[in-house]
């Protein structure tokens, strides 16, 4: 009788301590690819000469890779990665590809987990067919970093849960796929891990991401000759003046550009929350009511008075 092996589930790891010695059989990474949105672009980790560095550069240096392919761009969504970033990535034949995308989808009024799952699966399958080891991620609870009103916070939390369910579904049963769980990164919710906008990692946050991905790769048998140092250095220092400038030059214009799309998201979140609340209230009203206490006798009517008639509703 033949025994069918259960499909292997991907490893889900927080950043850990890398092996102190690199096995001679470890696979060296020559080409690293990072696909996705503004985080793999490097936002939050400004480079000294201008522009951004971010976890892709830190991970490349940790792996000793000779080439970094990074078609990521700000605002990218899951479908954009599949149709716009995947072709150039496949042409580079990377040994490792990091897929870091999805948060922008949760902030749009046309959020569609089923479509995201199809795009994500197609992207991962294409990368695996090309021989790349794929790294994905499960998102943290961003409402613990970016403060929001309670109804909107709960609505966004449900969307992040749906996004993580997409990752779980795509990664399950696929060999050569690793998943980094951002919710389990030690210190991931600390203020120092986040940039001024609280939407992107700071230099420390990017270093933590690079260390987490490097740990996954080391566990999968890849060589990591230069483990990521979590001590900040080499980036551009961000002070109070930079934070104020960001708010004026970047923060307010971004909010204005996104208001058309964020507005329906906020309204829909509030409507969904009110609907859930009202449904709960109706459920409570259908429960058997407790018997009313016996009425106390009122004062006797005055002599010659008549009962006041009930007023019919207009």
């Amino acid at each position: 009788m033949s025994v069918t092996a259960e499909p292997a589930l991907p490893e889900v790891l927080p950043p850990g301590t890398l092996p102190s010695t690199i096995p001679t059989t470890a696979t060296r990474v020559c080409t690293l690819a990072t696909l996705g949105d503004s985080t793999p672009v490097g936002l939050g980790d400004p480079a000294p000469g201008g522009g951004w560095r971010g976890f892709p550069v830190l991970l490349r240096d940790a792996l000793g890779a000779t080439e970094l392919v990074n078609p990521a761009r700000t605002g990218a969504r899951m479908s954009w990665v599949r149709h716009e970033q995947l072709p150039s990535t496949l042409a580079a034949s990377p040994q490792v590809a990091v897929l870091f995308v999805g948060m922008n989808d949760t902030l749009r009024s046309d959020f569609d987990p089923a479509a995201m799952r199809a795009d994500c699966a197609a992207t991962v399958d294409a990368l695996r067919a090309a021989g790349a080891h794929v790294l994905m991620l499960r998102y943290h609870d961003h409402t613990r970093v970016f403060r929001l009103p309670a109804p909107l916070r709960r609505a966004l939390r449900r969307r992040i849960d749906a996004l993580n369910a997409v990752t779980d579904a795509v990664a399950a049963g696929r060999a050569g796929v690793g998943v980094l769980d951002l919710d389990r990164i030690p210190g991931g919710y600390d203020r120092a891990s986040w940039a001024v906008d609280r939407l992107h990692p700071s230099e420390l946050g990017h270093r933590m991401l690079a260390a987490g991905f490097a740990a996954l790769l080391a566990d999968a048998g890849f060589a990591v000759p230069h483990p990521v140092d979590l001590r900040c250095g080499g980036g551009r220092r961000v002070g109070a003046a930079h934070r104020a400038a960001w708010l004026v030059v970047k923060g307010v214009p971004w909010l204005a550009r996104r208001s058309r799309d964020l507005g329906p998201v906020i309204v829909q979140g509030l409507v969904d929350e009110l609907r859930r609340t009202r449904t709960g209230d109706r459920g409570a009203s259908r429960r058997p009511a407790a018997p009313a206490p016996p009425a106390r006798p009122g004062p006797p009517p005055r002599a010659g008075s008549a009962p006041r008639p009930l007023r019919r509703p207009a």
Side-chain angles (χ1 to χ4, degrees):
M1 180 178 65
S2 61
V3 179
T4 303
E6 292 292 330
L9 293 177
E11 198 86 28
V12 181
L13 296 175
T17 303
L18 294 177
S20 58
T21 59
I22 302 300
T24 56
T25 57
T27 303
R28 297 279 174 173
V29 177
C30 296
T31 302
L32 167 69
T34 52
L35 306 85
D37 52 30
S38 53
T39 297
V41 168
L43 264 66
D45 182 21
W52 308 99
R53 180 179 54 177
F55 82 83
V57 174
L58 298 168
L59 182 58
R60 178 203 63 190
D61 295 345
L63 299 174
T66 57
E67 183 180 4
L68 171 61
V69 178
N70 189 2
R73 70 183 182 93
T74 302
R77 302 177 65 181
M78 193 74 75
S79 61
W80 302 5
V81 169
R82 176 184 180 182
H83 297 291
E84 299 177 12
Q85 301 180 20
L86 181 60
S88 60
T89 302
L90 295 175
S93 301
Q95 286 82 43
V96 172
V98 179
L99 183 62
F100 200 118
V101 67
M103 186 58 72
N104 286 312
D105 292 87
T106 65
L107 298 176
R108 298 300 183 90
S109 55
D110 59 350
F111 179 67
D112 186 348
M116 291 177 63
R117 177 174 176 175
D119 289 327
C120 184
T123 300
V124 171
D125 287 341
L127 291 168
R128 289 293 300 128
H133 185 86
V134 180
L135 297 180
M136 305 171 66
L137 72 151
R138 301 185 87 258
Y139 278 92
H140 56 290
D141 182 359
H142 202 77
T143 62
R144 292 175 57 182
V145 180
F146 198 85
R147 300 300 180 185
L148 296 168
L152 184 57
R153 182 172 65 248
R154 288 189 286 268
L156 180 56
R157 177 67 259 180
R158 287 193 292 271
R159 288 193 171 197
I160 294 174
D161 289 342
L163 173 58
N164 288 336
V166 169
T167 296
D168 294 340
V170 172
R174 285 177 168 86
V177 176
V179 178
L180 179 64
D181 192 342
L182 301 187
D183 188 62
R184 296 173 57 193
I185 293 181
Y189 289 104
D190 292 350
R191 178 66 185 89
S193 302
W194 294 94
V196 59
D197 59 6
R198 300 201 180 189
L199 293 172
H200 301 95
S202 62
E203 178 186 351
L204 175 60
H206 277 280
R207 287 182 176 275
M208 294 164 66
L209 288 173
F213 286 129
L216 285 172
L217 291 173
D219 185 71
F222 289 91
V224 186
H226 311 290
V228 179
D229 192 342
L230 294 183
R231 295 174 297 181
C232 294
R236 176 156 46 91
R237 186 179 298 275
V238 178
H242 295 95
R243 294 186 177 91
W246 176 88
L247 182 63
V248 174
V249 177
K250 297 290 186 180
V252 174
W254 178 86
L255 185 60
R257 289 193 304 269
R258 293 297 300 274
S259 60
R260 290 184 178 180
D261 209 54
L262 286 175
V265 173
I266 295 173
V267 172
Q268 187 61 49
L270 295 175
V271 169
D272 290 345
E273 195 62 32
L274 291 173
R275 184 182 296 116
R276 288 172 180 267
T277 303
R278 293 183 61 186
T279 301
D281 291 343
R282 286 198 301 269
S285 65
R286 285 192 292 267
R287 300 189 186 98
R296 295 180 179 179
R302 290 177 298 176
S305 64
R308 181 176 297 177
L310 295 177
R311 179 176 297 175
R312 295 181 179 274

